[in-house]
Amino acid sequence: MEGAPQKNGNDKILLAYSGGLDTSVAIHWLKEKHGCEVVTVTVDVGQSDDLKDAMRRAKSIGASRAWVIDAKKEFVEDYVLPALKANSLYEGNYPLGTAIARPLMVKKLVEMAKRLDAKTIAHGCTGKGNDQVRFEVSIMALAPEMDILAPTRDWKMTREEEIDYAKQFNIPIPVSVDKPYSIDESIWGRAIECGVLEDAWVEPPEDIFEWTKGIDKSPDTPEYVEIGFVQGKPVSLNGTQMTLLDLIEKVNEIAGNHGVGRIDHIENRLVGIKSREVYEAPAAIVLIKAHQDLESLVMAKDLLHYKKMVEQHYADLVYNGLWFSPLKEALDAFIEKTQEFVTGTVKLKLFKGSAVIVGRESPYSLYSTSLSTYAKGDEFDHSAAKGFIYVWGLPLKVGSIVKNGANGSGVANGSAVNEESVSTSK
Ligand code: ARG
């Protein structure tokens, strides 16, 4: 592979800055290697870090300017909500808190690059992860003219060497060798990697978790929450209307307090590696569960089943960096149409790490007690079942007769079964 192109001194490099180890080292490294101005952009998608502090840090390391863009509202409305409507869980587990934040970061970076007349965007992703793909493919979709730099991929330092580099140049960093985790956050979840977690057998140590309580520390009494939806969008919590942003923040707090939303799984990265991933995503887990349940109540069976296939495809393509693709856009249109009647309320019980659905209601409920009841008031026509089963089972009956003969013992295909070969274990 060719190395990164050398920039000329008049150019400006816009660096997507998280405030973590990789991007902090990158500010210094890019300036040294390319001899040009480095401007950092930090996009606030609800990470709990002190981003003002990150901004100051960027400047102290050598960024000529450091921007923080509050994109929380846009993130929840335009990225989290579509993912929620699609019940997005990659490989059935991961709610995509990192994967959906990257396209928005790129959108903001591209806007800023155009404003500042910069022709190069840099990111701090390594060569082994998915985020490099998401960043670069999104840049290619939104600003194909832009040059892309990936210093962390080019410099070939180990994490320990990076820490040494940071020490050598007095770069302030939030990691130490005994807590060497790589952490990524958005309001939709917190991802924790590296350190002891790389051993898939080792239980995640309690101190990696910040949004969720351990079972032993969570309350001894359950808590009920009611999530109100209008056309697939959560609009109220326990009867109080609120913005999606406030609602997600509150549910993160309430469910996290009960230890809900911890995920530990082996994940298949796009780049071919299996990795052990640990997440905390209390609101994502609660809201996706509630949303799925409401859909079960209001959606026709064939639509519901078809949507589940679309959902898996959707999660895969978002995970794989194709947020700004024509297919993703078309699937969004399909999913939006399915949300027409996803209005109602779901009740959940949060207790010791679990979020269990205990009730649901909707003006569009297709659930009918008079059809489902086994008690008085049953309106289901039992006699109709007989004819239905006759028709439903007919192809199987015909098939069986052809194979085994009308009385079940003869064989139409020639491999006759004689009495001796039918052994009985007496
Ligand atoms: N495995 C997840 C993903 O690919 C999370 C990545 C988190 N990134 C990080 N730097 N810790 O979306």
Side-chain angles (χ1 to χ4, degrees):
M1 292 290 282
E2 65 190 81
Q6 181 68 36
K7 298 276 106 193
N8 85 47
N10 305 327
D11 201 358
K12 247 182 241 126
I13 299 173
L14 221 65
L15 170 68
Y17 184 62
S18 69
L21 173 67
D22 291 333
T23 50
S24 293
V25 170
I27 298 175
H28 192 275
W29 194 87
L30 285 170
K31 276 187 73 178
E32 267 208 332
K33 173 144 189 352
H34 294 280
C36 59
E37 219 183 295
V38 175
V39 175
T40 63
V41 176
T42 306
V43 182
D44 184 355
V45 286
Q47 53 275 57
S48 41
D49 307 331
D50 182 345
L51 298 184
K52 286 243 166 64
D53 189 50
M55 196 166 80
R56 281 190 288 272
R57 215 157 53 232
K59 284 204 181 138
S60 78
I61 301 167
S64 59
R65 301 189 72 171
W67 301 83
V68 174
I69 300 171
D70 182 354
K72 292 196 287 289
K73 189 164 176 290
E74 188 173 347
F75 182 56
V76 298
E77 296 289 336
D78 297 347
Y79 294 77
V80 171
L81 185 55
L84 170 61
K85 286 176 176 173
N87 297 321
S88 301
L89 288 171
Y90 180 64
E91 295 184 332
N93 283 314
Y94 163 43
L96 300 173
T98 297
I100 57 173
R102 297 300 174 263
L104 173 59
M105 288 176 181
V106 168
K107 182 168 174 257
K108 295 290 151 197
L109 276 155
V110 165
E111 282 167 14
M112 192 56 91
K114 294 200 166 152
R115 200 167 126 190
L116 302 179
D117 200 25
K119 295 182 178 49
T120 308
I121 293 180
H123 62 75
C125 308
T126 68
K128 291 174 84 169
N130 301 307
D131 285 337
Q132 53 174 342
V133 183
R134 297 171 186 145
F135 262 108
E136 295 184 26
V137 169
S138 298
I139 295 169
M140 288 157 79
L142 298 184
E145 71 285 2
M146 211 58 80
D147 281 340
I148 301 171
L149 292 178
T152 316
R153 203 168 53 197
D154 294 338
W155 66 39
K156 297 184 180 69
M157 286 188 269
T158 63
R159 242 180 126 66
E160 287 72 24
E161 285 164 351
E162 268 184 69
I163 294 173
D164 288 345
Y165 182 101
K167 283 186 184 146
Q168 190 188 338
F169 294 103
N170 284 326
I171 298 169
I173 42 152
V175 284
S176 61
V177 183
D178 45 308
K179 250 197 172 184
Y181 301 113
S182 167
I183 292 168
D184 183 71
E185 286 181 354
S186 80
I187 194 169
W188 206 231
R190 186 164 176 271
I192 312 124
E193 295 170 333
C194 301
V196 287
L197 300 175
E198 286 179 358
D199 183 340
W201 179 251
V202 170
E203 182 175 349
E206 205 46 44
D207 67 352
I208 66 165
F209 296 107
E210 282 183 8
W211 293 12
T212 53
K213 279 191 182 156
I215 299 308
D216 48 337
K217 301 251 162 45
S218 72
D220 291 323
T221 41
E223 182 168 352
Y224 291 86
V225 286
E226 289 184 16
I227 315 285
F229 290 86
V230 172
Q231 298 194 316
K233 179 178 182 176
V235 294
S236 69
L237 175 63
N238 297 328
T240 307
Q241 301 284 320
M242 56 183 80
T243 64
L244 185 57
L245 180 58
D246 288 346
L247 190 143
I248 294 172
E249 275 171 354
K250 282 242 151 53
V251 175
N252 266 334
E253 229 172 81
I254 298 172
N257 185 43
H258 286 277
V260 170
R262 289 188 179 183
I263 300 154
D264 175 351
H265 86 139
I266 300 295
E267 187 170 295
N268 287 288
R269 289 190 187 164
L270 176 59
V271 292
I273 300 170
K274 277 191 194 293
S275 66
R276 194 271 185 93
E277 303 281 334
V278 178
Y279 301 101
E280 299 182 272
I285 294 304
V286 164
L287 295 176
I288 291 172
K289 268 195 166 189
H291 181 260
Q292 279 172 333
D293 191 80
L294 186 57
E295 286 189 334
S296 300
L297 185 69
V298 301
M299 257 186 211
K301 174 175 149 182
D302 56 354
L303 177 57
L304 187 75
H305 288 190
Y306 193 86
K307 181 171 181 276
K308 285 195 191 300
M309 295 191 297
V310 172
E311 287 171 357
Q312 199 190 331
H313 208 110
Y314 189 95
D316 283 356
L317 72 90
V318 171
Y319 184 85
N320 293 338
L322 300 175
W323 183 272
F324 295 116
S325 68
L327 176 56
K328 152 77 174 44
E329 219 175 282
L331 293 184
D332 269 331
F334 167 78
I335 289 163
E336 194 54 38
K337 175 69 184 163
T338 66
Q339 300 300 293
E340 221 172 340
F341 302 109
V342 186
T343 294
T345 304
V346 179
K347 183 166 54 177
L348 301 100
K349 184 177 179 173
L350 311 175
F351 188 54
K352 297 286 177 201
S354 74
V356 180
I357 311 276
V358 291
R360 70 287 279 162
E361 61 180 17
S362 166
Y364 305 109
S365 172
L366 301 178
Y367 171 77
S368 154
T369 331
S370 55
L371 286 177
S372 66
T373 185
Y374 285 95
K376 232 173 112 206
D378 182 5
E379 285 172 10
F380 184 76
D381 180 356
H382 290 241
S383 66
K386 196 176 167 193
F388 166 73
I389 295 165
Y390 172 78
V391 174
W392 185 244
L394 193 56
L396 274 64
K397 188 172 177 180
V398 172
S400 176
I401 291 168
V402 170
K403 259 199 273 167
N404 305 320
N407 61 12
S409 56
V411 168
N413 66 8
S415 55
V417 180
N418 58 42
E419 261 171 48
E420 285 122 297
S421 71
V422 185
S423 71
T424 50
S425 49
K426 256 190 241 156

